[in-house]
Amino acid sequence: MVISHLIKKQTYFDSVTLMLIGSQVKKLAGIDSTVVGMCTDYNIDSLKRLDMYQSSFDGLTPNDLIICIKAADKQTADAGIAEVEKRLASRKQASGSAELPPSSQEEAASRLPEANMVVISVPGEYAAREAEQALNNGRHVMLFSDNVSIEEELRLKTLGASKELLVMGPDCGTAIINGTPLAFANAVRSGDIGVVAASGTGLQEVTSTIHRLGCGITQAIGVGGRDLSEKIGGKMTLLATRALAEDPATKVIVMLSKPPAESVLKTLYAELKNIDKKIVIYFIGADPKAIEAQGFIAASNLEDAAIKACDLSTGKKHNSEMSEEQIKEAASDSKMTGKHLRGLYSGGTLCDEAQRLLQPVIGEISSNTPVKGCKEMPDVYKSSGHCIIDLGDDNFTRGKAHPMIDPAYRSERMLQEIADPETGLIIFDVVLGYGSHLDMAGEMVAAVEEGRKKSGRNPLLAACICGTREDPQNYAQQQKILEDAGIKVFPTNVAMVSFARHCLERNK
Amino acid sequence: MLKDFFGKKVKVINLGIASFAEDLRKQGVETVHTDWRPPAGGNKKIQALLDKVASWQSKVKSAKGAR
């Protein structure tokens, strides 16, 4: 193997752009490994781990870009570097305008003084100072960055709450504010349902389902997964809920979260009881009866939360897009060639939901993110028995783009699961919307076909599409791509999981 | 008040992932993308000093304003 490298000092690209290009170039013939990134501690460690580090890299800083390629021969490695450069140049051109872009938040603000929202996706160690600057200048914040400490989160949310400014995040992947989808969000019509969510794909699944059922939303406010923890005290959930309560356009409020800390729950319930609007609550994994006992409407899953919100919005009864009979019918000719289920999720909350719905029915399930009653996988890279995996979890995304953007690892894993004689059924999600891959169905089908060809195996496959027909990916086309490859397609995760349950029961 | 923000046009400053700004522009949202890079060349010590200076300047500014 030969290693070639190129260093570009004082050249900065965002991590998603670099990770995607690195992953695409790695697919080229003869290339073994690629590290395309800023010289952060993580990327330097990766170079060392892959035996690609050289002493000449000493002293490089996070402002320097490194392109390092290990390949079968020098010509291939050099060609790989040239390909990375070409793709970077076209990225610059695509985003370029006649005017040089501002290099700081301050300079950006001088170009758009009326900006009211700052979307921050810089590395976590720098995110809090940018967020603080935005808040101090009276702007709302969407904090997509992760690796922001809970102490910093508390400080930012205390500041935000004192100024009545949103701090959505950290690690907030999605929001729809005043009709504008931010980061990963779907094209959802305006309506009278307001959503406050501490769950990214939960928010996407609920808002998309609301749209497909014919209703719409006022706001979908992401608050970050730790907002209802004891330390943060629900600061943003409370601020957002109060504002939705006073918003004349909002008729129904939906709240999605893991069960809040006990002390926060008391405050939250006390606050919600003063609101003269219908409130649907889905505390994932909590007992719905306890919520109903407080006088609120409890949902039993994400689809149910959307249906209940639509019922309240219109005063008419809504049903699941696919009836239980239709799902049963879809499973009636299912024949599993292996005994076990494998779930390959890009959405964390959807993975969580699948485990909760299936565990009481099929018993032992392993996961890298196990819910109560499920087991921790001893090796997240090798499935055994029934496994439901969140491929967007940190284990799989360190130094790589999220599987909603980059299908590389999920495709690899698809091949592995198809080849495993234990596998009888594979379920997976296709999340559409802004920010997501433009043809995830096509990528998954390519992996499925390769897996079938290489292994000669053909396990059952089912997918759910989280999205709307107005999303940039073309919902109908994505559905057709999957169906043409013999994959059963469902409108919600709940419907797909119900299909899986019927298949497993029939093939016991 | 947060409720007063509801219904207003969202105008965005984007720091970090460039595709977020591209998606917003495609939807007609007024957006300025920043060619962000780690402050002080990624040198944490210098960054901490710059933050101290900025905080001191802001205190001076507000003290002058209070007079």
Side-chain angles (χ1 to χ4, degrees), chain A residues 10 12 14 16 61 63 91 95 101-105 108-109 112 114-123 125-126 129-130 140 144 164 166 177-178 180-181 183 219 243 246 434-435, chain B residues 1-3 5-20 22-27 29-44 47 50-51:
Chain A
Q10 299 295 311
Y12 190 87
D14 73 75
V16 168
T61 76
N63 256 343
R91 290 287 309 154
S95 59
S103 60
S104 67
Q105 186 181 161
L112 188 61
E114 65 274 33
N116 45 25
M117 175 73 65
V118 181
V119 178
I120 300 170
S121 55
V122 303
E125 58 195 300
Y126 305 105
R129 76 195 293 273
E130 297 291 350
H140 301 278
F144 180 86
E164 288 225 16
L166 290 169
I177 304 296
N178 300 343
T180 302
Q219 310 289 341
E246 290 172 20
Y434 294 100
Chain B
M1 296 289 277
L2 177 57
K3 72 176 168 78
F5 169 59
F6 291 166
K8 285 192 178 155
K9 262 193 179 175
V10 172
K11 298 185 181 190
V12 176
I13 292 172
N14 186 57
L15 304 168
I17 300 173
S19 59
F20 289 166
E22 287 160 28
D23 278 340
L24 287 165
R25 282 198 202 107
K26 279 182 203 158
Q27 298 169 69
V29 177
E30 240 184 294
T31 305
V32 175
H33 177 63
T34 307
D35 187 18
W36 184 91
R37 52 192 66 215
N43 185 321
K44 295 271 166 61
Q47 188 189 315
L50 288 174
D51 283 348

Side-chain angles (χ1 to χ4, degrees), chain A residues 4-186:
Chain A
S4 289
H5 74 268
L6 178 71
I7 293 161
K8 288 179 164 259
K9 288 212 154 213
Q10 299 295 311
T11 303
Y12 190 87
F13 284 88
D14 73 75
S15 58
V16 168
T17 299
L18 295 173
M19 288 187 288
L20 274 176
I21 291 176
S23 163
Q24 287 156 358
V25 170
K26 189 173 178 261
K27 285 187 194 164
L28 302 178
I31 292 185
D32 178 76
S33 310
T34 57
V35 174
V36 180
M38 305 310 299
C39 292
T40 57
D41 291 345
Y42 179 83
N43 286 330
I44 293 293
D45 283 348
S46 297
L47 287 164
K48 287 178 180 165
R49 209 177 46 246
L50 294 164
D51 278 334
M52 291 163 78
Y53 192 82
Q54 298 176 21
S55 55
S56 61
F57 300 167
D58 290 351
L60 292 173
T61 76
N63 256 343
D64 303 323
L65 169 68
I66 187 156
I67 305 165
C68 197
I69 293 184
K70 194 195 276 184
D73 53 68
K74 187 158 185 348
Q75 200 183 349
T76 311
D78 289 348
I81 288 184
E83 184 60 31
V84 172
E85 282 196 281
K86 197 174 109 187
R87 287 174 191 239
L88 287 174
S90 74
R91 290 287 309 154
K92 273 267 184 215
Q93 261 174 358
S95 59
S97 62
E99 205 178 9
L100 270 175
S103 60
S104 67
Q105 186 181 161
E106 211 170 9
E107 207 183 322
S110 69
R111 298 221 190 146
L112 188 61
E114 65 274 33
N116 45 25
M117 175 73 65
V118 181
V119 178
I120 300 170
S121 55
V122 303
E125 58 195 300
Y126 305 105
R129 76 195 293 273
E130 297 291 350
E132 192 167 356
Q133 189 182 336
L135 294 168
N136 280 330
N137 287 303
R139 297 187 173 94
H140 301 278
V141 167
M142 178 174 189
L143 196 47
F144 180 86
S145 311
D146 57 3
N147 294 320
V148 173
S149 71
I150 197 160
E151 289 75 22
E152 284 176 317
E153 178 175 349
L154 178 62
R155 186 167 56 81
L156 292 171
K157 286 186 169 172
T158 305
L159 177 64
S162 73
K163 293 172 174 273
E164 288 225 16
L165 291 169
L166 290 169
V167 180
M168 297 183 282
D171 205 6
C172 174
T174 177
I176 306 174
I177 304 296
N178 300 343
T180 302
L182 298 170
F184 293 89
N186 301 89

Side-chain angles (χ1 to χ4, degrees), chain A residues 284-327:
Chain A
I284 304 160
D287 179 10
K289 285 193 187 107
I291 296 166
E292 281 161 1
Q294 296 289 329
F296 305 111
I297 298 141
S300 52
N301 55 55
L302 296 168
E303 182 190 276
D304 188 42
I307 290 174
K308 286 193 162 118
C310 291
D311 288 353
L312 293 164
S313 160
T314 59
K316 289 180 194 153
K317 180 91 191 96
H318 290 75
N319 295 310
S320 301
E321 292 155 274
M322 212 167 171
S323 71
E324 200 51 32
E325 281 313 303
Q326 287 172 304
I327 296 169

Side-chain angles (χ1 to χ4, degrees), chain A residues 185-212:
Chain A
N186 301 89
V188 174
R189 81 172 62 76
S190 290
D192 58 12
I193 301 168
V195 183
V196 180
S199 142
T201 35
L203 184 148
Q204 286 192 265
E205 180 83 332
V206 169
T207 54
S208 296
T209 308
I210 287 173
H211 176 96
R212 292 195 311 272

